[in-house]
PDB file of all heavy atoms in Angstrom:
ATOM      1  N   LYS C  17     228.983 158.638 214.760  1.00 97.00           N
ATOM      2  CA  LYS C  17     228.583 157.376 215.398  1.00 97.00           C
ATOM      3  C   LYS C  17     229.641 156.347 215.062  1.00 97.00           C
ATOM      4  O   LYS C  17     229.706 155.861 213.934  1.00 97.00           O
ATOM      5  CB  LYS C  17     227.246 156.878 214.834  1.00 97.00           C
ATOM      6  CG  LYS C  17     226.069 157.816 215.029  1.00 97.00           C
ATOM      7  CD  LYS C  17     224.817 157.195 214.368  1.00 97.00           C
ATOM      8  CE  LYS C  17     223.677 158.197 214.322  1.00 97.00           C
ATOM      9  NZ  LYS C  17     222.500 157.689 213.606  1.00 97.00           N
ATOM     10  N   LYS C  18     230.464 155.982 216.043  1.00 96.00           N
ATOM     11  CA  LYS C  18     231.545 155.026 215.783  1.00 96.00           C
ATOM     12  C   LYS C  18     231.061 153.588 215.922  1.00 96.00           C
ATOM     13  O   LYS C  18     230.347 153.253 216.873  1.00 96.00           O
ATOM     14  CB  LYS C  18     232.695 155.273 216.752  1.00 96.00           C
ATOM     15  CG  LYS C  18     233.670 156.302 216.223  1.00 96.00           C
ATOM     16  CD  LYS C  18     235.061 156.092 216.828  1.00 96.00           C
ATOM     17  CE  LYS C  18     236.102 156.920 216.098  1.00 96.00           C
ATOM     18  NZ  LYS C  18     237.420 156.801 216.748  1.00 96.00           N
ATOM     19  N   GLY C  19     231.461 152.746 214.988  1.00 95.00           N
ATOM     20  CA  GLY C  19     231.182 151.322 215.075  1.00 95.00           C
ATOM     21  C   GLY C  19     232.478 150.578 215.368  1.00 95.00           C
ATOM     22  O   GLY C  19     233.448 151.169 215.857  1.00 95.00           O
ATOM     23  N   ALA C  20     232.520 149.284 215.075  1.00 93.00           N
ATOM     24  CA  ALA C  20     233.713 148.488 215.356  1.00 93.00           C
ATOM     25  C   ALA C  20     234.862 148.880 214.414  1.00 93.00           C
ATOM     26  O   ALA C  20     236.002 149.025 214.833  1.00 93.00           O
ATOM     27  CB  ALA C  20     233.390 147.010 215.214  1.00 93.00           C
ATOM     28  N   THR C  22     233.755 150.840 211.256  1.00 95.00           N
ATOM     29  CA  THR C  22     233.153 151.825 210.348  1.00 95.00           C
ATOM     30  C   THR C  22     232.333 152.842 211.126  1.00 95.00           C
ATOM     31  O   THR C  22     231.555 152.464 212.002  1.00 95.00           O
ATOM     32  CB  THR C  22     232.215 151.089 209.349  1.00 95.00           C
ATOM     33  OG1 THR C  22     232.954 150.031 208.725  1.00 95.00           O
ATOM     34  CG2 THR C  22     231.678 152.028 208.286  1.00 95.00           C
ATOM     35  N   SER C  23     232.514 154.123 210.825  1.00 97.00           N
ATOM     36  CA  SER C  23     231.741 155.180 211.476  1.00 97.00           C
ATOM     37  C   SER C  23     230.726 155.784 210.512  1.00 97.00           C
ATOM     38  O   SER C  23     230.947 155.805 209.294  1.00 97.00           O
ATOM     39  CB  SER C  23     232.667 156.319 211.932  1.00 97.00           C
ATOM     40  OG  SER C  23     233.573 155.887 212.914  1.00 97.00           O
ATOM     41  N   HIS C  24     229.646 156.262 211.078  1.00 97.00           N
ATOM     42  CA  HIS C  24     228.693 157.046 210.294  1.00 97.00           C
ATOM     43  C   HIS C  24     228.793 158.484 210.776  1.00 97.00           C
ATOM     44  O   HIS C  24     228.684 158.748 211.971  1.00 97.00           O
ATOM     45  CB  HIS C  24     227.288 156.495 210.474  1.00 97.00           C
ATOM     46  CG  HIS C  24     227.144 155.117 209.907  1.00 97.00           C
ATOM     47  ND1 HIS C  24     226.094 154.291 210.151  1.00 97.00           N
ATOM     48  CD2 HIS C  24     227.960 154.414 209.072  1.00 97.00           C
ATOM     49  CE1 HIS C  24     226.255 153.143 209.513  1.00 97.00           C
ATOM     50  NE2 HIS C  24     227.390 153.190 208.860  1.00 97.00           N
ATOM     51  N   THR C  35     224.736 161.795 205.228  1.00 98.00           N
ATOM     52  CA  THR C  35     225.399 160.746 206.000  1.00 98.00           C
ATOM     53  C   THR C  35     226.561 160.171 205.200  1.00 98.00           C
ATOM     54  O   THR C  35     226.412 159.831 204.023  1.00 98.00           O
ATOM     55  CB  THR C  35     224.414 159.609 206.329  1.00 98.00           C
ATOM     56  OG1 THR C  35     223.322 160.141 207.075  1.00 98.00           O
ATOM     57  CG2 THR C  35     225.087 158.517 207.170  1.00 98.00           C
ATOM     58  N   SER C  60     230.540 162.087 190.849  1.00 98.00           N
ATOM     59  CA  SER C  60     229.255 162.183 190.135  1.00 98.00           C
ATOM     60  C   SER C  60     228.754 160.816 189.669  1.00 98.00           C
ATOM     61  O   SER C  60     227.549 160.609 189.535  1.00 98.00           O
ATOM     62  CB  SER C  60     229.361 163.142 188.949  1.00 98.00           C
ATOM     63  OG  SER C  60     230.337 162.711 188.053  1.00 98.00           O
ATOM     64  N   SER C  61     229.648 159.855 189.466  1.00 98.00           N
ATOM     65  CA  SER C  61     229.189 158.528 189.054  1.00 98.00           C
ATOM     66  C   SER C  61     228.533 157.765 190.210  1.00 98.00           C
ATOM     67  O   SER C  61     227.991 156.681 189.994  1.00 98.00           O
ATOM     68  CB  SER C  61     230.341 157.712 188.453  1.00 98.00           C
ATOM     69  OG  SER C  61     231.418 157.641 189.339  1.00 98.00           O
ATOM     70  N   ASP C  62     228.555 158.348 191.409  1.00 98.00           N
ATOM     71  CA  ASP C  62     227.887 157.725 192.557  1.00 98.00           C
ATOM     72  C   ASP C  62     226.555 158.393 192.895  1.00 98.00           C
ATOM     73  O   ASP C  62     225.950 158.095 193.922  1.00 98.00           O
ATOM     74  CB  ASP C  62     228.807 157.747 193.790  1.00 98.00           C
ATOM     75  CG  ASP C  62     229.965 156.780 193.651  1.00 98.00           C
ATOM     76  OD1 ASP C  62     229.785 155.717 193.039  1.00 98.00           O
ATOM     77  OD2 ASP C  62     231.061 157.090 194.144  1.00 98.00           O
ATOM     78  N   VAL C  63     226.109 159.303 192.039  1.00 98.00           N
ATOM     79  CA  VAL C  63     224.825 159.973 192.276  1.00 98.00           C
ATOM     80  C   VAL C  63     223.763 159.385 191.341  1.00 98.00           C
ATOM     81  O   VAL C  63     223.983 159.315 190.127  1.00 98.00           O
ATOM     82  CB  VAL C  63     224.930 161.495 192.042  1.00 98.00           C
ATOM     83  CG1 VAL C  63     223.595 162.180 192.315  1.00 98.00           C
ATOM     84  CG2 VAL C  63     226.035 162.100 192.902  1.00 98.00           C
ATOM     85  N   MET C  64     222.665 158.947 191.900  1.00 98.00           N
ATOM     86  CA  MET C  64     221.520 158.485 191.111  1.00 98.00           C
ATOM     87  C   MET C  64     220.422 159.538 191.138  1.00 98.00           C
ATOM     88  O   MET C  64     220.468 160.458 191.949  1.00 98.00           O
ATOM     89  CB  MET C  64     220.983 157.176 191.700  1.00 98.00           C
ATOM     90  CG  MET C  64     221.889 155.993 191.406  1.00 98.00           C
ATOM     91  SD  MET C  64     221.635 154.656 192.593  1.00 98.00           S
ATOM     92  CE  MET C  64     222.340 155.426 194.061  1.00 98.00           C
ATOM     93  N   ILE C  65     219.449 159.381 190.249  1.00 98.00           N
ATOM     94  CA  ILE C  65     218.327 160.319 190.223  1.00 98.00           C
ATOM     95  C   ILE C  65     217.028 159.526 190.310  1.00 98.00           C
ATOM     96  O   ILE C  65     216.849 158.540 189.607  1.00 98.00           O
ATOM     97  CB  ILE C  65     218.348 161.171 188.938  1.00 98.00           C
ATOM     98  CG1 ILE C  65     219.647 161.993 188.901  1.00 98.00           C
ATOM     99  CG2 ILE C  65     217.131 162.088 188.869  1.00 98.00           C
ATOM    100  CD1 ILE C  65     219.800 162.838 187.645  1.00 98.00           C
ATOM    101  N   ALA C  66     216.135 159.994 191.197  1.00 98.00           N
ATOM    102  CA  ALA C  66     214.817 159.374 191.320  1.00 98.00           C
ATOM    103  C   ALA C  66     213.745 160.408 190.985  1.00 98.00           C
ATOM    104  O   ALA C  66     213.928 161.609 191.209  1.00 98.00           O
ATOM    105  CB  ALA C  66     214.608 158.853 192.734  1.00 98.00           C
ATOM    106  N   VAL C  67     212.652 159.916 190.431  1.00 97.00           N
ATOM    107  CA  VAL C  67     211.501 160.774 190.106  1.00 97.00           C
ATOM    108  C   VAL C  67     210.281 160.116 190.737  1.00 97.00           C
ATOM    109  O   VAL C  67     210.086 158.908 190.601  1.00 97.00           O
ATOM    110  CB  VAL C  67     211.314 160.887 188.580  1.00 97.00           C
ATOM    111  CG1 VAL C  67     210.073 161.715 188.255  1.00 97.00           C
ATOM    112  CG2 VAL C  67     212.546 161.500 187.932  1.00 97.00           C
ATOM    113  N   GLU C  68     209.484 160.893 191.453  1.00 89.00           N
ATOM    114  CA  GLU C  68     208.257 160.347 192.101  1.00 89.00           C
ATOM    115  C   GLU C  68     207.276 159.890 191.018  1.00 89.00           C
ATOM    116  O   GLU C  68     207.005 160.592 190.076  1.00 89.00           O
ATOM    117  CB  GLU C  68     207.582 161.442 192.951  1.00 89.00           C
ATOM    118  CG  GLU C  68     208.388 161.897 194.135  1.00 89.00           C
ATOM    119  CD  GLU C  68     208.389 160.888 195.288  1.00 89.00           C
ATOM    120  OE1 GLU C  68     207.580 159.925 195.258  1.00 89.00           O
ATOM    121  OE2 GLU C  68     209.214 161.066 196.201  1.00 89.00           O
TER     122      GLU C  68
ATOM    123  N   MET E   1     208.158 155.520 192.854  1.00 78.00           N
ATOM    124  CA  MET E   1     209.437 156.183 192.530  1.00 78.00           C
ATOM    125  C   MET E   1     210.182 155.414 191.444  1.00 78.00           C
ATOM    126  O   MET E   1     210.333 154.205 191.540  1.00 78.00           O
ATOM    127  CB  MET E   1     210.316 156.237 193.788  1.00 78.00           C
ATOM    128  CG  MET E   1     211.568 157.076 193.624  1.00 78.00           C
ATOM    129  SD  MET E   1     212.435 157.329 195.222  1.00 78.00           S
ATOM    130  CE  MET E   1     213.605 155.965 195.181  1.00 78.00           C
ATOM    131  N   ASN E   2     210.589 156.139 190.417  1.00 95.00           N
ATOM    132  CA  ASN E   2     211.464 155.538 189.412  1.00 95.00           C
ATOM    133  C   ASN E   2     212.872 156.034 189.670  1.00 95.00           C
ATOM    134  O   ASN E   2     213.074 157.182 190.023  1.00 95.00           O
ATOM    135  CB  ASN E   2     211.037 155.955 188.005  1.00 95.00           C
ATOM    136  CG  ASN E   2     209.781 155.241 187.598  1.00 95.00           C
ATOM    137  OD1 ASN E   2     209.664 154.038 187.764  1.00 95.00           O
ATOM    138  ND2 ASN E   2     208.820 155.990 187.070  1.00 95.00           N
ATOM    139  N   ILE E   3     213.859 155.171 189.447  1.00 98.00           N
ATOM    140  CA  ILE E   3     215.238 155.540 189.749  1.00 98.00           C
ATOM    141  C   ILE E   3     216.113 155.295 188.523  1.00 98.00           C
ATOM    142  O   ILE E   3     215.827 154.431 187.695  1.00 98.00           O
ATOM    143  CB  ILE E   3     215.743 154.756 190.997  1.00 98.00           C
ATOM    144  CG1 ILE E   3     217.026 155.394 191.537  1.00 98.00           C
ATOM    145  CG2 ILE E   3     215.954 153.277 190.685  1.00 98.00           C
ATOM    146  CD1 ILE E   3     217.311 155.059 192.990  1.00 98.00           C
ATOM    147  N   SER E   4     217.158 156.130 188.422  1.00 98.00           N
ATOM    148  CA  SER E   4     218.042 156.034 187.252  1.00 98.00           C
ATOM    149  C   SER E   4     218.858 154.740 187.250  1.00 98.00           C
ATOM    150  O   SER E   4     219.298 154.298 186.187  1.00 98.00           O
ATOM    151  CB  SER E   4     218.970 157.253 187.196  1.00 98.00           C
ATOM    152  OG  SER E   4     219.766 157.336 188.357  1.00 98.00           O
ATOM    153  N   ALA E   5     219.061 154.122 188.424  1.00 98.00           N
ATOM    154  CA  ALA E   5     219.837 152.880 188.484  1.00 98.00           C
ATOM    155  C   ALA E   5     219.204 151.863 187.537  1.00 98.00           C
ATOM    156  O   ALA E   5     217.986 151.653 187.577  1.00 98.00           O
ATOM    157  CB  ALA E   5     219.864 152.330 189.915  1.00 98.00           C
ATOM    158  N   ALA E  20     227.937 146.470 214.205  1.00 93.00           N
ATOM    159  CA  ALA E  20     227.922 147.620 215.107  1.00 93.00           C
ATOM    160  C   ALA E  20     227.277 148.833 214.431  1.00 93.00           C
ATOM    161  O   ALA E  20     226.466 149.539 215.031  1.00 93.00           O
ATOM    162  CB  ALA E  20     229.348 147.948 215.545  1.00 93.00           C
ATOM    163  N   THR E  21     227.616 149.075 213.156  1.00 94.00           N
ATOM    164  CA  THR E  21     226.985 150.188 212.418  1.00 94.00           C
ATOM    165  C   THR E  21     226.483 149.731 211.055  1.00 94.00           C
ATOM    166  O   THR E  21     225.630 150.369 210.459  1.00 94.00           O
ATOM    167  CB  THR E  21     227.981 151.356 212.174  1.00 94.00           C
ATOM    168  OG1 THR E  21     229.183 150.823 211.584  1.00 94.00           O
ATOM    169  CG2 THR E  21     228.341 152.081 213.448  1.00 94.00           C
ATOM    170  N   THR E  22     227.011 148.602 210.565  1.00 95.00           N
ATOM    171  CA  THR E  22     226.727 148.152 209.208  1.00 95.00           C
ATOM    172  C   THR E  22     226.093 146.770 209.219  1.00 95.00           C
ATOM    173  O   THR E  22     226.582 145.881 209.911  1.00 95.00           O
ATOM    174  CB  THR E  22     228.055 148.085 208.410  1.00 95.00           C
ATOM    175  OG1 THR E  22     228.733 149.342 208.529  1.00 95.00           O
ATOM    176  CG2 THR E  22     227.812 147.786 206.938  1.00 95.00           C
ATOM    177  N   ILE E  38     224.549 147.592 204.041  1.00 98.00           N
ATOM    178  CA  ILE E  38     223.877 148.878 204.248  1.00 98.00           C
ATOM    179  C   ILE E  38     223.931 149.270 205.725  1.00 98.00           C
ATOM    180  O   ILE E  38     224.340 148.490 206.577  1.00 98.00           O
ATOM    181  CB  ILE E  38     222.413 148.829 203.756  1.00 98.00           C
ATOM    182  CG1 ILE E  38     221.581 147.842 204.593  1.00 98.00           C
ATOM    183  CG2 ILE E  38     222.341 148.423 202.280  1.00 98.00           C
ATOM    184  CD1 ILE E  38     220.082 147.843 204.231  1.00 98.00           C
ATOM    185  N   THR E  39     223.513 150.496 206.038  1.00 97.00           N
ATOM    186  CA  THR E  39     223.560 150.948 207.436  1.00 97.00           C
ATOM    187  C   THR E  39     222.486 150.241 208.270  1.00 97.00           C
ATOM    188  O   THR E  39     221.412 149.915 207.770  1.00 97.00           O
ATOM    189  CB  THR E  39     223.312 152.472 207.543  1.00 97.00           C
ATOM    190  OG1 THR E  39     222.020 152.769 207.031  1.00 97.00           O
ATOM    191  CG2 THR E  39     224.342 153.257 206.762  1.00 97.00           C
ATOM    192  N   ASN E  40     222.782 150.054 209.554  1.00 97.00           N
ATOM    193  CA  ASN E  40     221.775 149.525 210.490  1.00 97.00           C
ATOM    194  C   ASN E  40     220.530 150.406 210.482  1.00 97.00           C
ATOM    195  O   ASN E  40     219.401 149.912 210.604  1.00 97.00           O
ATOM    196  CB  ASN E  40     222.326 149.521 211.924  1.00 97.00           C
ATOM    197  CG  ASN E  40     223.380 148.468 212.148  1.00 97.00           C
ATOM    198  OD1 ASN E  40     223.606 147.610 211.299  1.00 97.00           O
ATOM    199  ND2 ASN E  40     224.053 148.540 213.296  1.00 97.00           N
ATOM    200  N   GLU E  41     220.749 151.678 210.368  1.00 97.00           N
ATOM    201  CA  GLU E  41     219.660 152.657 210.370  1.00 97.00           C
ATOM    202  C   GLU E  41     218.664 152.378 209.229  1.00 97.00           C
ATOM    203  O   GLU E  41     217.452 152.442 209.418  1.00 97.00           O
ATOM    204  CB  GLU E  41     220.292 154.026 210.162  1.00 97.00           C
ATOM    205  CG  GLU E  41     219.630 155.153 210.881  1.00 97.00           C
ATOM    206  CD  GLU E  41     220.326 156.452 210.523  1.00 97.00           C
ATOM    207  OE1 GLU E  41     220.341 156.847 209.349  1.00 97.00           O
ATOM    208  OE2 GLU E  41     220.880 157.079 211.452  1.00 97.00           O
ATOM    209  N   VAL E  57     218.869 147.248 194.396  1.00 98.00           N
ATOM    210  CA  VAL E  57     219.072 148.349 193.445  1.00 98.00           C
ATOM    211  C   VAL E  57     220.571 148.556 193.248  1.00 98.00           C
ATOM    212  O   VAL E  57     221.301 148.764 194.218  1.00 98.00           O
ATOM    213  CB  VAL E  57     218.419 149.651 193.966  1.00 98.00           C
ATOM    214  CG1 VAL E  57     218.675 150.807 193.015  1.00 98.00           C
ATOM    215  CG2 VAL E  57     216.929 149.452 194.197  1.00 98.00           C
ATOM    216  N   ILE E  58     221.029 148.487 191.994  1.00 98.00           N
ATOM    217  CA  ILE E  58     222.469 148.569 191.710  1.00 98.00           C
ATOM    218  C   ILE E  58     222.696 149.475 190.503  1.00 98.00           C
ATOM    219  O   ILE E  58     222.142 149.243 189.433  1.00 98.00           O
ATOM    220  CB  ILE E  58     223.048 147.165 191.394  1.00 98.00           C
ATOM    221  CG1 ILE E  58     222.748 146.195 192.535  1.00 98.00           C
ATOM    222  CG2 ILE E  58     224.544 147.253 191.109  1.00 98.00           C
ATOM    223  CD1 ILE E  58     222.696 144.742 192.102  1.00 98.00           C
ATOM    224  N   LYS E  59     223.527 150.496 190.678  1.00 98.00           N
ATOM    225  CA  LYS E  59     223.867 151.417 189.577  1.00 98.00           C
ATOM    226  C   LYS E  59     224.744 150.671 188.575  1.00 98.00           C
ATOM    227  O   LYS E  59     225.649 149.922 188.979  1.00 98.00           O
ATOM    228  CB  LYS E  59     224.611 152.601 190.182  1.00 98.00           C
ATOM    229  CG  LYS E  59     224.671 153.830 189.288  1.00 98.00           C
ATOM    230  CD  LYS E  59     225.226 155.017 190.060  1.00 98.00           C
ATOM    231  CE  LYS E  59     225.184 156.310 189.261  1.00 98.00           C
ATOM    232  NZ  LYS E  59     225.843 156.319 187.975  1.00 98.00           N
ATOM    233  N   SER E  61     227.170 151.572 186.831  1.00 97.00           N
ATOM    234  CA  SER E  61     228.608 151.860 186.916  1.00 97.00           C
ATOM    235  C   SER E  61     229.269 151.083 188.055  1.00 97.00           C
ATOM    236  O   SER E  61     230.497 151.125 188.199  1.00 97.00           O
ATOM    237  CB  SER E  61     228.866 153.362 187.057  1.00 97.00           C
ATOM    238  OG  SER E  61     228.145 153.899 188.132  1.00 97.00           O
ATOM    239  N   ASP E  62     228.475 150.366 188.856  1.00 98.00           N
ATOM    240  CA  ASP E  62     229.032 149.537 189.930  1.00 98.00           C
ATOM    241  C   ASP E  62     229.058 148.056 189.572  1.00 98.00           C
ATOM    242  O   ASP E  62     229.328 147.210 190.418  1.00 98.00           O
ATOM    243  CB  ASP E  62     228.226 149.739 191.224  1.00 98.00           C
ATOM    244  CG  ASP E  62     228.476 151.104 191.839  1.00 98.00           C
ATOM    245  OD1 ASP E  62     229.603 151.613 191.726  1.00 98.00           O
ATOM    246  OD2 ASP E  62     227.547 151.681 192.416  1.00 98.00           O
TER     247      ASP E  62
END
Side-chain angles (χ1 to χ4, degrees):
Chain C
K17 300 178 190 175
K18 272 206 168 175
T22 307
S23 296
H24 294 167
T35 301
S60 59
S61 55
D62 289 326
V63 181
M64 286 157 290
I65 299 178
V67 177
E68 294 285 348
Chain E
M1 189 171 93
N2 286 313
I3 195 159
S4 60
T21 51
T22 308
I38 65 175
T39 61
N40 288 351
E41 215 183 62
V57 178
I58 304 154
K59 198 171 186 304
S61 54
D62 289 326

